[in-house]
Amino acid sequence: MTQLKKYATAAATAATLVAIPTMAHAFGATKAPSPATPSPAAVATSVKGAVTSTVIGRVSEVVGSGTVDGKAWSVVLEFYPTLPKGYTVPSKAGESAAHKSLVCQRTVIGGVRVDSKGGPWSGCQQVNGAHDTHGLGGMALAGLAAKGTSGTRIFVGNPVSEVTRAEITLKSGKRLTADVNVVKGTSFRGFAIPLGKGQTIASVDQYAGDKRLTHDTFWR
């Protein structure tokens, strides 16, 4: 995804994210330690040229959903082949200002959308068509308070195409897993894993089948 270092941050919002500096920045994330660099083969899967979208209208995919701490949660990826009515190009959009498609990630916990105070288009990024996947590999912790570091949280990832599933190992030893879901007709993909109050991350792994591709231990 092009220019993922450009993102909108809502001032004084209570719903924030902690993330690594890749695709997650398109969805309202703030900076945290970077993970291991993806393999050359993984990087090669992203489309680097201009791509014309074949998607006619808005399409979406539920990345994950369920209940945690008694609260319903969901993460939805949306793709708009053309900039939707009501959307305004951010003044600091940089090179992405010329892109005419939009991808959004909506994380909702207990009926409240994360970063909702940033406006209806917080968590969105302009892209160059349905396959402009520069920057895939981002992960983020989404929460309604404390910058996603405590309370009820959702761990969200937007991995490269090789990744088929993700696994979180908690400090308690319990393992939580999620499959990767793809927005139909596009290359935008993601996974989501809920974390209840008091659950602390020991490691995060991404897999292609049974082959582990990444192993990160800086998440908490």
Side-chain angles (χ1 to χ4, degrees), residues 24-199:
H25 278 77
F27 310 123
T30 55
K31 189 174 181 180
S34 299
T37 301
S39 66
V43 174
T45 61
S46 66
V47 178
K48 296 185 178 181
V51 177
T52 301
S53 172
T54 57
V55 178
I56 297 175
R58 171 189 172 277
V59 289
S60 65
E61 180 70 25
V62 177
V63 171
S65 64
T67 302
V68 60
D69 290 340
K71 304 173 184 177
W73 69 273
S74 65
V75 178
V76 177
L77 270 174
E78 301 174 335
F79 174 72
Y80 298 82
T82 58
L83 298 180
K85 183 178 180 180
Y87 175 81
T88 301
V89 177
S91 59
K92 297 182 179 180
E95 292 180 10
S96 66
H99 300 334
K100 302 304 181 182
S101 299
L102 194 72
V103 63
C104 304
Q105 187 157 275
R106 314 291 194 182
T107 301
V108 177
I109 303 173
V112 179
R113 181 169 62 83
V114 170
D115 202 26
S116 60
K117 291 186 178 180
W121 302 109
S122 62
C124 298
Q125 172 69 44
Q126 287 172 242
V127 293
N128 192 19
H131 304 284
D132 179 11
T133 56
H134 293 166
L136 279 179
M139 294 181 282
L141 273 168
L144 298 176
K147 297 184 178 181
T149 60
S150 65
T152 303
R153 304 176 293 166
I154 310 298
F155 190 92
V156 182
N158 302 106
V160 296
S161 62
E162 289 183 336
V163 176
T164 58
R165 65 183 178 90
E167 181 177 274
I168 289 178
T169 301
L170 301 177
K171 288 289 182 65
S172 66
K174 183 178 181 179
R175 294 182 178 181
L176 309 172
T177 62
D179 292 330
V180 172
N181 294 289
V182 183
V183 180
K184 186 177 181 179
T186 81
S187 296
F188 301 112
R189 54 211 322 274
F191 63 81
I193 299 175
L195 297 169
K197 292 180 180 178
Q199 290 186 320

